[in-house]
Amino acid sequence: MGLSGDPIFLRPPDARALFLFAHGAGAGIRHPFMESLARKLADRSIATWRFEFPYMTVGRRLPDRPAVLVNAVRRAAMEAHDAAPELPFFAGGKSMGGRMTSTAAAESPLPGVRGFVFLGFPLHRPGSDSNARADHLEAVPLPMLFLQGTRDRLAEIDRIERVCEKLGPRAVLRQVQGADHGFTVLKRSGRSDDGVRRELAELTSQWIFERLTDVPLGG
């Protein structure tokens, strides 16, 4: 695997779980953020399955219609689960990829999925006062981890906090101090982008490992 349009399955020898890792709207599966985080998750015994949405595969800039994106998530989830059915299965992704993954799950369960990880859930457009993008999460009956930068202009912290409170014990919110929507940090913060990615990988792996004794509800 690895040609344009092909999924990338990164499985460490000691894999304890598999994460379906969808990309965001503006960058594909080989973006440095995706590659770096996948390697860091592998270092923590988490396998990843990265796949591209159709518009990215053919080189278009604008994302496909939601129905097309959702179908791509569902197809990728089936392929990933079939590739490693013995591994506990989790799903989500960066920004739009995470939102389309949960949208698919809200419509009907994804095979074998035990929970969802959102890396910068895109709650609203900059300047918008609507949280409607999160409405579908009420129909997702599985655990959800929200990893959100405190400088994310697409998810103001107080608003994502209210969303998670409404979802109750299903939702866990972890704030990444100083990070924006792309999880980059200002130089004056004293932090590095690589350090932020290590934090994301650690938070993700800890949360996943805590769920490994849960009964899978998604398949």
Side-chain angles (χ1 to χ4, degrees):
M1 293 183 181
L3 298 175
S4 178
D6 288 343
I8 299 176
F9 183 24
L10 180 60
R11 178 172 183 165
D14 60 348
R16 295 176 58 192
L18 171 61
F19 177 48
L20 180 69
F21 190 7
H23 65 77
I29 57 178
R30 294 189 179 278
H31 186 272
F33 176 87
M34 300 286 291
E35 297 230 347
S36 175
L37 189 55
R39 288 195 301 270
K40 287 174 170 54
L41 287 170
D43 290 342
R44 291 161 176 80
S45 304
I46 303 291
T48 52
W49 183 281
R50 286 178 279 159
F51 69 99
E52 286 192 332
F53 291 108
Y55 76 97
M56 188 66 67
T57 300
V58 298
R60 293 200 308 268
R61 295 183 62 184
L62 292 178
D64 303 296
R65 292 178 293 105
V68 175
L69 299 174
V70 164
N71 285 339
V73 168
R74 193 166 299 283
R75 182 170 59 252
M78 293 176 63
E79 292 174 351
H81 187 255
D82 288 348
E86 73 284 4
L87 291 179
F89 192 29
F90 296 81
K94 178 73 182 71
S95 190
M96 182 200 74
R99 184 166 70 95
M100 290 299 105
T101 302
S102 57
T103 298
E107 295 178 0
S108 62
L110 295 174
V113 171
R114 297 189 181 198
F116 298 91
V117 179
F118 304 114
L119 296 145
F121 188 88
L123 180 59
H124 53 79
R125 297 182 184 277
S128 171
D129 60 1
S130 172
N131 291 346
R133 287 179 172 181
D135 288 349
H136 71 278
L137 296 175
E138 292 285 350
V140 179
L142 297 173
M144 292 170 266
L145 173 64
F146 292 80
L147 300 174
Q148 304 287 157
T150 57
R151 293 193 304 115
D152 190 341
R153 295 180 63 242
L154 300 187
E156 296 173 6
I157 286 298
D158 61 336
R159 292 169 64 174
I160 199 73
E161 284 177 340
R162 290 196 295 271
V163 167
C164 290
E165 288 171 2
K166 187 176 180 181
L167 293 170
R170 284 177 291 160
V172 172
L173 172 63
R174 293 288 181 261
Q175 299 183 24
V176 182
Q177 294 299 317
D180 63 12
H181 188 65
F183 292 102
T184 61
V185 290
L186 300 173
K187 290 184 178 179
R188 66 171 179 267
S189 70
R191 307 186 71 196
S192 68
D193 292 347
D194 189 67
V196 168
R197 293 167 189 171
R198 284 197 302 272
E199 180 180 351
L200 293 171
E202 188 62 26
L203 290 169
T204 299
S205 60
Q206 287 178 355
W207 184 85
I208 285 177
F209 294 152
E210 289 170 359
R211 315 261 92 68
L212 291 188
T213 57
D214 292 350
V215 177
L217 301 175

